[in-house]
Amino acid sequence: MKKLWSLSLIAFSLAVLALSLSPRAARAADAESEKLASLGKALRYTLKTTGPVAAIDTGGAAILVKAPLPTVRKIVTSYGNYKTFIGPFDQSRVLTKRKGTSEVYLQVPILNGAAHIWTVADMSPPTKDGADEVISGRHKRGNVADFRARWRLRAVDEHHTILKLELFVAPKLPFPPSVVTTQLVKAADKAVTAVRNRAQSEVPPGAGATTAAATDVPPGAAASASAAASAGAAPAARGDEQRSVTAAPAVLPASVADLPPADDTSVRRDKDVARR
């Protein structure tokens, strides 16, 4: 009887262990993926900017991608292709690459295309931060005072990835911080949604079909994401915000040396252009 009881206890323990290690149980325990799956689109948020501190908050967005982490990583790090599928960018180019760090030129239209902001930033190779992979971008030169970007990727399982983007831009002109933060949140949403759409389009049909419905994006999510990604340029600001920063180079630079200086004269010139 004692032996039978011991065998039953062992069998029960193994069953519990198998259940706890199953993909379904692992996903069920992942509250973040559950929340994003039920939302079916990007979750927007803001963070206080630190290192150094700034009045403008960092804008962020998180989304669940039905694709493996390596697929998502490949798309995130294809910096030169951003202009082809991420709405906020109308120019993107890798200038140099050394020891895994990419020097990237990025340009974004503002005021309905009346002017542009641009930056040359160093994008770091993916690094581990707990369960996340982090790719960070730091401003080197441009017509903004500062630019920071941080991609975060986390594998939920072999078929699902949580993707986040956190953006900070400090214009050289005194735009209200709340207006800038609002645009950063919208840009982060468009970016993660665009990456999600491209990554899922690259996954072969039926891949991950046996995963639990807990992390599946609801049926209306694709349409919602497409609408968000194609919403177009952000509306122009009002009042003092109807001013432009330094215009981006008319011809895409071949190197950092070819980029124009962001001086006060060019800022004034572009303000006159924006008024016309």
Side-chain angles (χ1 to χ4, degrees), residues 28-52:
D30 193 326
E32 185 175 32
S33 66
E34 293 266 354
K35 182 177 182 179
L36 293 174
S38 63
L39 185 62
K41 60 181 181 179
L43 174 66
R44 297 178 175 186
Y45 59 92
T46 61
L47 299 169
K48 291 298 180 183
T49 304
T50 59

Side-chain angles (χ1 to χ4, degrees), residues 156-201:
V156 178
D157 56 35
E158 61 181 7
H159 299 296
H160 297 78
T161 304
I162 291 176
L163 174 67
K164 299 178 182 178
L165 175 60
E166 294 160 2
L167 284 173
F168 171 78
V169 174
K172 288 187 175 180
L173 293 175
F175 290 102
S178 60
V179 171
V180 178
T181 298
T182 297
Q183 297 306 310
L184 293 176
V185 171
K186 290 180 179 179
D189 184 332
K190 289 184 178 180
V192 298
T193 300
V195 173
R196 190 273 302 270
N197 292 345
R198 172 158 289 205
Q200 292 184 173
S201 71

Side-chain angles (χ1 to χ4, degrees), residues 63-78 82 85 133 135 151-154 159-164 192 195-196 198-200 202-203:
I63 202 164
L64 181 68
V65 186
K66 291 197 291 184
L69 188 146
T71 300
V72 179
R73 183 200 300 123
K74 180 188 70 174
I75 295 170
V76 167
T77 55
S78 63
Y82 279 11
F85 72 97
E133 280 191 12
I135 301 168
W151 292 98
R152 286 187 173 273
L153 300 82
R154 179 168 68 82
H159 299 296
H160 297 78
T161 304
I162 291 176
L163 174 67
K164 299 178 182 178
V192 298
V195 173
R196 190 273 302 270
R198 172 158 289 205
Q200 292 184 173
E202 294 186 4
V203 175

Side-chain angles (χ1 to χ4, degrees), residues 14 22 54 68 82 100 103 114 185 207 223 234 273:
L14 290 174
S22 69
Y82 279 11
E103 184 182 58
V185 171
V273 172

